Amino acid sequence: MDSDQEARDMLRQSNEYPDPDYTPRFLWLGSRNITTLPEGNDDEYDRDGLITPESYLPYTESQHNIPVAELAEIRNSKRPSVDPDFEFQEEDERSDELSSEVASDSEASNPPNTEKRGRGRRRGTRRGRASRGNRGTRGLGSSRGRGRNRLQKGLGRGGKGIKRGVRKPLEPSLEFKSLHSQATLSFIEQDYVAAEKLTLQAIQCNSEIFTAYSLLSEIHMAGNDKKRAMVALFIGAHTRPRDTVLWCHVAKLIMEVAGDDRISNIPEAIYCYNRVIGADAGHIEARYERAALHREFGNLRRAAHDYVFLLRTVPHDPTVLRHLAEIYIDLDECARAIEHYDTSIEHFQLSELTNATAFTWSDLNIYAELYMYSTDLVEVARGIAKVKNVSRWLLNRGDDRFWDQLNGDDREFDAADFPRRIALPDFVCGQHNTSTYGEGLPLEIRVKLGLLRLKLGNDHFAEAIAHLEWLEPHITGRKGKAFDYPDLFREAADTLRLRGLWHEALRFYDPLQQIEEHADSSYFNDMGLCYRALGLYDEAENCFRVIVDNDNCNTDALLKLATMFENAHLPERAAQYVDKIIALKRERAPNQQSVQRSSGSTLSLRSEPLGPSMSSPRQAMLHPRPARKPARVPAAQRLSSRQISRAQTQERIQLHYLELRAFREQYENGASGAKAEWMETAKVLIDDFRRKKAFFPARTDRWTKPSGHGRIMGTRTNQVIGDSNATSYVPDLMGDDDEDDDSKSQDYCGISFEKWLDVFLEYALNAAESGDTKQGCDIAATAAEANVFFHSREFMFSIHVIWFMCALLAEDDDTLCNVARFFMKDYQFVSDSYHLFATLNRLCNRSNIWYNNGPTQKYILRQIKAVDFSLMGEERLKSYYQEKASYTTKDEAGQYIHAEGMDIALIMMYGFILYTGGSQIYALSKTLESLLTLLSVNYFFRAYALEPGNPMVNLSLALSYMHYAIKRQSENRHYNLMQGFSFLFAYYDIRKVSEVAIERQECEFNVGRAYQMLGLTHLAIPFYERCLDLNEEVQRICGGGAMEDYALEAAYTLQGIWAASGEMHLAQKITEKYLVI
């Protein structure tokens, strides 16, 4: 106990920590202390758990004469409801800023309830906590204070009777005072190295003394090291957390030393202003500076929050309103800014003070600008009425209320009373000075009214042009207004261009040629777009070439020139600029990014005239000037990030397509490496197309025809191909785009779908020919999945032709069968489709496992059933209605096409599928009486019944009988052989009289091969020899290029027969004549 008491005495004497058992008493409170608080007096606490200002009133009024309102404001500044930033501060900051407001021993008077819950206690009331009726006196919510348990007596902070908050710093020790004094002397003597060393030692001795950090900062500042001075002052400021002046100074110093790297230092400066606002929520300067930093850093929401708070502190401040309007414009929430302005305008109009410093024409100009971003025509019309109302008030005619009823035109601000103003019955001529009407309205406001009228549509075009004519664009030279109002000219011209009013736009573009700072690349680009839209290609070329002449690396202007002449069907002139683009790309290093010239570079005009509406061109080259900060453009000229991305994608795709055409011409002319460049460029285009989700919907949605993709880049893209200036894209901006036209679009990014398909198919075929057959098939499959190709029969035909060519190169029998089924399905009951199926499988060198597999067999059988169903009578059709599902082809009227007769090619193909699968029994069907009950169709005999003189049918029947005869399951082998030979010689008789030599050769070889198969070689030799005798005739007729010549097979077979029989000289003779190359 003695040691504990001594420790307490020493600690009390050192003033480092106050005694936990010590009850503080304050003279200004009289004999009353704050150790305990009255029980049950919950009215003293607000919802945040803080003591309300009213609880101090008996003492503050009597002792200090502090006004109640001022004290309440001081106390309320720490409330989250007053300072919304309070809620977002860090936990450490909140505890430091609020700890001094609440006594940590407030709970000591009401110890926790430790009794168990009985029947009377409500469910949900936690043990150890006062019930809702007796909330207790805990300060900040229900959280605990720092330090030890508050019920535990002992040393340290957080004990009984201790105030929470920033504790008083330690008294400087003798060592600190000595080191600090020596450091100060060294600083005075300009020995900065020694002064810094001594100051750091003093800080190490006692780091809670601010004077040491201040001295260290001054030392670094004297050494011209502002960054280290700022760091020292920033660290030292934490020893004075409520010194608002210090924290503001540190924040300004942080931004001062930031230099060009302002963005990375903004968070630290914001942190400093957070500390200021945490100590004084009503600090206007800190709020204003923090809002500016948030906006610069991109935290627009937080910046808007600060400005809204400032509006509550300094209501209707025009400067705050302007900054808030700019932020809401960037956030695309102009309606909220309009609400703030409406409130302030109403306040100013109702107040008796009408001085010009409260709300000026500049504020009205910003207010009108907000309505330019609105897409709601009703809201735009309201904006026009509101702008006219405020203008009338600023012109001291606020009592003329009758003008509010006139919204169809703006005759109120005509230059003269006659003829329109005098026609209004309520108008009294001479009541007000004429300067309070049209002449008194500033040009900025008048131009805004004109542009707002343009947004309302063509019905207001005349009224809009009447306003814009006040700029007098027809007056050129120094007497014109273009030198005084260049921004208004540019804004009017851009808006007219976006509305498609090309001639009117050029009238306002023309005067700006005489002003150097406005004759930049974007100016000539926009003017060239107007000429291009009017079909004045020579004038447009001059404008774009001005950009190219001053920046040889500007591919945007070259692309515009190329696309312009491409759309004008002048491919030769387009190719010149495409070649330049390709040359520029080849000159650049692979990893080097193209550096485009700033849009602010002033350009000179070429010597060629730019058109009848342009003034004489300037001859001298102007020096480039630094890029000026672009003015905030109206909403009609601004695009969202998505729209800008679309415009850039369109420009990039157009450039790649033009390069593709150039590379094709080069590799067709034999240029080395051109084909590889073509493949690379085509791959980029295909990848862009494949990323378009609208072209590749879910498989179940693919049957729905594509609609609406043109909202992105539709039929109107021809007007803006290659336009790097996103503001030139018209349809989605003006709100008058026709969705029906877009849904019928036949192009994507200005390239027709037919040309897109050519790129796909040519790339697939080239990839397959170069050995990458898998990629070729994948590209063809991708094209078949695109809905813009899927609904075109011609497109799908071309896709599948290239697809089976790639599959042939890959020897992929699976893909061949699937592709061939498309032709049989799309061209049902057409013999050529069945011939194609058989031919494709014949050309594949792999084993035809997919030709005779189960799915293929079932599909062909369904086709046969569909033919049978079509040939049935009407009565029988009713009982077999389920076969209608086998129809797959429709005519132009949308009706299913029926078979006109039995197709022998279809029947023979199904017989061959069964035959190659080893099912000769099924192929023969009724040939064996013992299997009649197992067979349902006689496919070869059905074909024989249709064409008994067909050699292929007879040969197929012959081979089926012979092959079945030599099987173990055959019951009457000789009978089957006789049947086979009867059909074989019927085939032989048909071919023998043919005028085609190769057909006669074929029959000789086939008969000889049949005899050899049965082991009757002596009967086969004459047929083989006659086959060899026809070789010379076949070669003579076919010119040595016969696709099938049986002489080699016959010679090889005879060679083996003679060698096996011992006639080696005959075998050698055959070999030397036919088999030696």
Side-chain angles (χ1 to χ4, degrees):
M1 293 295 296
D2 296 338
S3 59
D4 292 343
Q5 185 63 35
E6 292 177 0
R8 290 192 185 95
D9 295 340
M10 292 176 62
L11 190 58
R12 185 182 298 111
Q13 293 174 4
S14 64
N15 291 328
E16 182 175 2
Y17 291 101
D19 185 5
D21 297 328
Y22 173 69
T23 301
R25 298 180 180 272
F26 305 97
L27 296 178
W28 59 85
L29 297 181
S31 60
R32 188 173 178 178
N33 58 63
I34 63 171
T35 303
T36 60
L37 296 174
E39 296 184 3
N41 188 11
D42 292 338
D43 295 336
E44 291 183 342
Y45 298 91
D46 63 2
R47 62 179 180 178
D48 299 315
L50 303 180
I51 302 177
T52 56
E54 290 76 6
S55 61
Y56 290 98
L57 295 182
Y59 315 108
T60 55
E61 286 185 339
S62 60
Q63 300 294 334
H64 295 281
N65 297 324
I66 300 177
V68 177
E70 182 178 350
L71 182 60
E73 182 179 356
I74 295 173
R75 300 299 303 167
N76 286 336
S77 64
K78 299 294 171 253
R79 292 185 180 181
S81 60
V82 176
D83 181 13
D85 287 299
F86 178 88
E87 298 177 353
F88 306 107
Q89 296 172 4
E90 298 292 339
E91 184 66 26
D92 295 342
E93 297 176 21
R94 291 181 58 177
S95 60
D96 290 342
E97 295 163 5
L98 299 177
S99 57
S100 62
E101 306 291 346
V102 184
S104 63
D105 62 343
S106 60
E107 239 180 307
S109 61
N110 294 318
N113 185 10
T114 58
E115 64 181 3
K116 297 183 179 180
R117 183 178 73 89
R119 293 184 179 179
R121 185 167 68 85
R122 293 175 299 174
R123 185 178 299 274
T125 304
R126 297 177 57 186
R127 294 187 178 94
R129 176 173 296 184
S131 63
R132 187 169 298 180
N134 184 15
R135 288 167 40 185
T137 57
R138 181 173 293 175
L140 192 61
S142 60
S143 61
R144 294 192 174 189
R146 295 183 179 180
R148 299 184 180 182
N149 190 338
R150 282 170 286 184
L151 299 180
Q152 177 184 357
K153 294 184 179 181
L155 300 179
R157 302 180 63 188
K160 179 180 178 182
I162 301 301
K163 289 184 61 178
R164 296 173 58 200
V166 181
R167 60 184 175 84
K168 185 178 180 180
L170 295 175
E171 292 292 334
S173 62
L174 295 177
E175 181 182 3
F176 176 85
K177 293 178 180 179
S178 175
L179 291 171
H180 187 268
S181 300
Q182 296 178 33
T184 304
L185 291 175
S186 299
F187 175 69
I188 295 174
E189 295 174 357
Q190 299 184 358
D191 189 359
Y192 301 132
V193 177
E196 179 182 0
K197 182 177 180 181
L198 292 170
T199 305
L200 291 175
Q201 293 177 3
I203 293 174
Q204 187 177 7
C205 180
N206 190 341
S207 60
E208 299 182 1
I209 307 301
F210 172 74
T211 55
Y213 295 98
S214 178
L215 178 60
L216 182 61
S217 177
E218 292 295 336
I219 292 172
H220 290 313
M221 190 67 72
N224 201 22
D225 193 347
K226 291 184 178 181
K227 186 173 183 179
R228 296 182 66 185
M230 177 270 295
V231 173
L233 199 60
F234 177 78
I235 298 174
H238 289 80
T239 63
R240 295 186 177 181
R242 296 187 174 277
D243 191 342
T244 58
V245 177
L246 175 60
W247 281 106
C248 287
H249 175 66
V250 173
K252 294 177 181 178
L253 188 59
I254 288 174
M255 299 310 299
E256 181 182 347
V257 302
D260 296 334
D261 191 17
R262 287 178 56 87
I263 299 299
S264 60
N265 288 337
I266 285 178
E268 285 76 12
I270 292 176
Y271 170 80
C272 295
Y273 287 120
N274 288 342
R275 300 300 295 253
V276 176
I277 295 172
D280 182 6
H283 201 290
I284 297 178
E285 180 184 359
R287 286 271 182 190
Y288 196 89
E289 294 296 335
R290 188 176 72 170
L293 291 176
H294 273 311
R295 183 186 178 190
E296 183 178 357
F297 195 66
N299 298 330
L300 300 181
R301 295 285 180 190
R302 296 184 179 182
H305 164 76
D306 278 333
Y307 283 127
V308 171
F309 187 89
L310 285 172
L311 278 182
R312 292 200 295 264
T313 307
V314 283
H316 316 299
D317 184 84
T319 304
V320 177
L321 283 172
R322 292 170 189 171
H323 289 301
L324 192 60
E326 292 175 356
I327 291 176
Y328 279 137
I329 288 174
D330 294 334
L331 290 173
D332 197 18
E333 297 178 1
C334 298
R336 301 183 65 179
I338 291 175
E339 292 177 3
H340 289 290
Y341 265 96
D342 287 341
T343 303
S344 298
I345 290 172
E346 183 179 1
H347 165 75
F348 289 128
Q349 288 183 337
L350 292 177
S351 63
E352 297 180 358
L353 298 178
T354 58
N355 55 348
T357 59
F359 192 89
T360 63
W361 290 107
S362 298
D363 300 311
L364 179 58
N365 189 34
I366 297 175
Y367 180 67
E369 179 79 10
L370 293 172
Y371 283 101
M372 293 293 297
Y373 295 89
S374 177
T375 57
D376 186 3
L377 298 184
V378 176
E379 190 68 17
V380 173
R382 177 186 175 275
I384 293 175
K386 196 67 178 178
V387 170
K388 293 196 297 183
N389 179 277
V390 179
S391 300
R392 189 183 316 118
W393 171 67
L394 290 175
L395 291 171
N396 297 321
R397 289 190 298 105
D399 296 335
D400 291 350
R401 301 293 183 182
F402 63 89
W403 290 111
D404 293 333
Q405 307 301 323
L406 185 65
N407 297 322
D409 56 53
D410 302 327
R411 68 180 69 183
E412 176 185 1
F413 297 103
D414 286 351
D417 295 339
F418 184 84
R420 297 203 302 173
R421 239 188 343 252
I422 198 68
L424 198 64
D426 295 331
F427 175 72
V428 179
C429 184
Q431 182 179 0
H432 297 284
N433 195 312
T434 55
S435 61
T436 60
Y437 291 99
E439 296 179 359
L441 188 67
L443 271 178
E444 292 85 350
I445 307 301
R446 186 177 291 278
V447 170
K448 286 294 188 300
L449 284 174
L451 299 182
L452 288 172
R453 288 289 178 184
L454 278 178
K455 289 180 68 68
L456 292 179
N458 296 331
D459 295 339
H460 298 261
F461 173 74
E463 197 70 29
I465 292 298
H467 284 297
L468 298 181
E469 287 295 336
W470 282 72
L471 291 174
E472 299 176 350
H474 57 281
I475 301 178
T476 58
R478 289 290 178 178
K479 296 181 180 180
K481 295 181 180 179
F483 287 91
D484 298 327
Y485 303 99
D487 293 333
L488 296 181
F489 273 79
R490 183 62 184 272
E491 186 175 358
D494 289 341
T495 306
L496 290 168
R497 174 177 58 84
L498 293 174
R499 293 296 303 179
L501 304 173
W502 315 111
H503 284 290
E504 288 76 6
L506 286 173
R507 292 182 58 226
F508 291 90
Y509 277 129
D510 181 35
L512 295 177
Q513 284 191 73
Q514 308 167 23
I515 306 174
E516 296 181 2
E517 54 269 17
H518 286 270
D520 52 21
S521 59
S522 63
Y523 165 76
F524 286 104
N525 174 79
D526 296 340
M527 195 162 55
L529 293 175
C530 293
Y531 283 122
R532 185 177 69 178
L534 293 172
L536 303 175
Y537 298 121
D538 292 336
E539 290 79 359
E541 182 182 15
N542 291 335
C543 291
F544 291 133
R545 291 195 62 178
V546 170
I547 305 174
V548 176
D549 292 344
N550 288 270
D551 184 4
N552 296 328
C553 298
N554 194 315
T555 56
D556 294 338
L558 292 173
L559 177 60
K560 290 182 179 65
L561 289 167
T563 54
M564 179 180 67
F565 290 118
E566 179 69 21
N567 295 331
H569 305 289
L570 298 173
E572 296 80 7
R573 299 183 67 178
Q576 299 175 3
Y577 296 105
V578 174
D579 293 340
K580 291 182 180 179
I581 295 174
I582 296 174
L584 285 174
K585 293 183 66 176
R586 288 175 175 173
E587 290 177 0
R588 295 171 181 171
N591 298 327
Q592 180 183 2
Q593 297 180 353
S594 60
V595 180
Q596 299 294 337
R597 192 184 183 92
S598 172
S599 60
S601 300
T602 303
L603 306 177
S604 65
L605 200 59
R606 293 165 53 87
S607 57
E608 293 86 344
L610 294 182
S613 65
M614 307 293 288
S615 61
S616 57
R618 295 176 287 123
Q619 301 290 337
M621 176 71 71
L622 301 178
H623 297 285
R625 63 176 181 83
R628 58 185 176 89
K629 182 179 179 180
R632 187 175 299 278
V633 296
Q637 303 177 35
R638 295 183 62 190
L639 289 175
S640 64
S641 58
R642 180 179 299 179
Q643 290 170 326
I644 293 175
S645 176
R646 290 169 180 171
Q648 293 174 348
T649 300
Q650 175 180 315
E651 177 184 344
R652 177 169 46 82
I653 290 176
Q654 278 289 322
L655 174 59
H656 288 319
Y657 183 74
L658 293 175
E659 292 176 345
L660 199 71
R661 295 180 54 182
F663 290 143
R664 178 190 294 173
E665 294 178 0
Q666 292 177 10
Y667 82 73
E668 287 178 352
N669 294 331
S672 60
K675 189 170 184 178
E677 291 180 328
W678 186 96
M679 293 289 290
E680 181 180 355
T681 307
K683 185 65 166 58
V684 173
L685 283 174
I686 292 173
D687 290 341
D688 276 312
F689 192 92
R690 295 171 73 174
R691 282 192 290 267
K692 188 77 171 90
K693 295 182 179 180
F695 296 151
F696 300 94
R699 191 172 184 85
T700 55
D701 298 335
R702 189 181 56 172
W703 299 95
T704 304
K705 291 187 177 181
S707 175
H709 70 274
R711 294 296 297 173
I712 297 177
M713 297 168 192
T715 56
R716 304 190 185 185
T717 51
N718 294 334
Q719 300 176 2
V720 291
I721 289 176
D723 184 10
S724 62
N725 186 0
T727 60
S728 63
Y729 184 68
V730 180
D732 281 342
L733 297 178
M734 309 313 299
D736 58 354
D737 198 18
D738 189 359
E739 294 188 13
D740 294 335
D741 292 342
D742 289 333
S743 63
K744 299 177 182 178
S745 173
Q746 296 298 319
D747 64 83
Y748 171 59
C749 293
I751 304 173
S752 65
F753 290 127
E754 184 178 1
K755 294 179 179 178
W756 276 107
L757 182 60
D758 292 341
V759 175
F760 270 86
L761 300 185
E762 188 172 357
Y763 180 85
L765 191 58
N766 286 335
E769 289 177 346
S770 62
D772 195 353
T773 55
K774 184 179 183 303
Q775 187 176 20
C777 291
D778 291 343
I779 294 298
T782 300
E785 290 290 334
N787 55 5
V788 292
F789 304 141
F790 182 81
H791 295 279
S792 173
R793 193 176 187 185
E794 293 77 11
F795 287 171
M796 293 299 289
F797 182 88
S798 302
I799 290 172
H800 283 81
V801 168
I802 299 298
W803 199 348
F804 75 64
M805 292 177 67
C806 296
L808 281 174
L809 293 173
E811 296 184 357
D812 186 354
D813 56 336
D814 182 10
T815 303
L816 280 175
C817 286
N818 291 331
V819 173
R821 284 178 63 170
F822 162 80
F823 293 100
M824 291 189 293
K825 179 185 68 175
D826 213 44
Y827 298 90
Q828 195 177 24
F829 310 136
V830 177
S831 298
D832 289 341
S833 63
Y834 306 127
H835 293 159
L836 179 63
F837 180 83
T839 303
L840 291 178
N841 285 276
R842 169 67 179 83
L843 294 175
C844 186
N845 294 328
R846 297 176 61 185
S847 58
N848 294 326
I849 58 176
W850 288 97
Y851 172 71
N852 53 15
N853 66 349
T856 303
Q857 177 180 343
K858 293 176 182 177
Y859 178 78
I860 300 300
L861 181 59
R862 288 197 299 270
Q863 299 295 312
I864 295 176
K865 289 182 178 181
V867 176
D868 292 339
F869 180 75
S870 300
L871 301 179
M872 288 182 180
E874 293 295 333
E875 295 296 330
R876 300 185 64 185
L877 288 177
K878 298 179 181 178
S879 60
Y880 293 95
Y881 62 90
Q882 67 272 14
E883 297 299 336
K884 292 181 180 179
S886 299
Y887 293 149
T888 58
T889 305
K890 295 181 180 180
D891 56 15
E892 296 180 355
Q895 301 296 325
Y896 284 108
I897 298 177
H898 294 192
E900 297 178 356
M902 182 58 66
D903 195 332
I904 187 175
L906 177 62
I907 298 176
M908 291 298 297
M909 184 171 62
Y910 187 64
F912 285 136
I913 290 175
L914 296 175
Y915 181 82
T916 55
S919 301
Q920 289 84 3
I921 296 177
Y922 289 89
L924 290 170
S925 186
K926 295 183 179 180
T927 56
L928 300 176
E929 295 180 356
S930 60
L931 297 176
L932 286 176
T933 57
L934 302 176
L935 304 177
S936 59
V937 181
N938 187 346
Y939 298 104
F940 284 155
F941 273 118
R942 289 184 63 179
Y944 183 80
L946 293 174
E947 293 186 21
N950 191 313
M952 195 65 202
V953 174
N954 286 274
L955 179 62
S956 300
L957 284 168
L959 293 177
S960 296
Y961 276 111
M962 289 182 178
H963 286 166
Y964 185 72
I966 62 178
K967 280 196 169 185
R968 180 174 57 84
Q969 296 90 343
S970 178
E971 296 180 358
N972 195 337
R973 193 170 278 112
H974 293 86
Y975 173 79
N976 292 332
L977 287 175
M978 292 302 296
Q979 288 281 14
F981 273 110
S982 65
F983 286 109
L984 180 64
F985 280 103
Y987 154 77
Y988 181 81
D989 293 339
I990 296 172
R991 286 296 198 192
K992 187 68 176 177
V993 297
S994 175
E995 296 179 357
V996 182
I998 193 172
E999 292 182 356
R1000 298 198 302 273
Q1001 188 186 39
E1002 172 198 306
C1003 70
E1004 299 290 348
F1005 178 82
N1006 285 335
V1007 174
R1009 186 71 182 85
Y1011 279 123
Q1012 184 184 7
M1013 179 182 63
L1014 298 175
L1016 305 175
T1017 56
H1018 64 288
L1019 297 177
I1021 290 174
F1023 290 95
Y1024 283 140
E1025 289 178 346
R1026 284 195 292 272
C1027 178
L1028 293 176
D1029 294 340
L1030 291 171
N1031 179 46
E1032 294 182 1
E1033 183 179 357
V1034 170
Q1035 293 294 331
R1036 183 176 65 255
I1037 295 175
C1038 298
M1043 295 182 60
E1044 290 186 281
D1045 184 3
Y1046 298 95
L1048 293 177
E1049 287 82 354
Y1052 182 77
T1053 304
L1054 277 177
Q1055 179 197 43
I1057 292 174
W1058 294 126
S1061 60
E1063 301 292 339
M1064 300 302 297
H1065 64 285
L1066 294 177
Q1068 182 178 4
K1069 182 179 179 180
I1070 293 294
T1071 303
E1072 292 176 351
K1073 185 176 181 179
Y1074 295 101
L1075 301 179
V1076 176
I1077 299 177

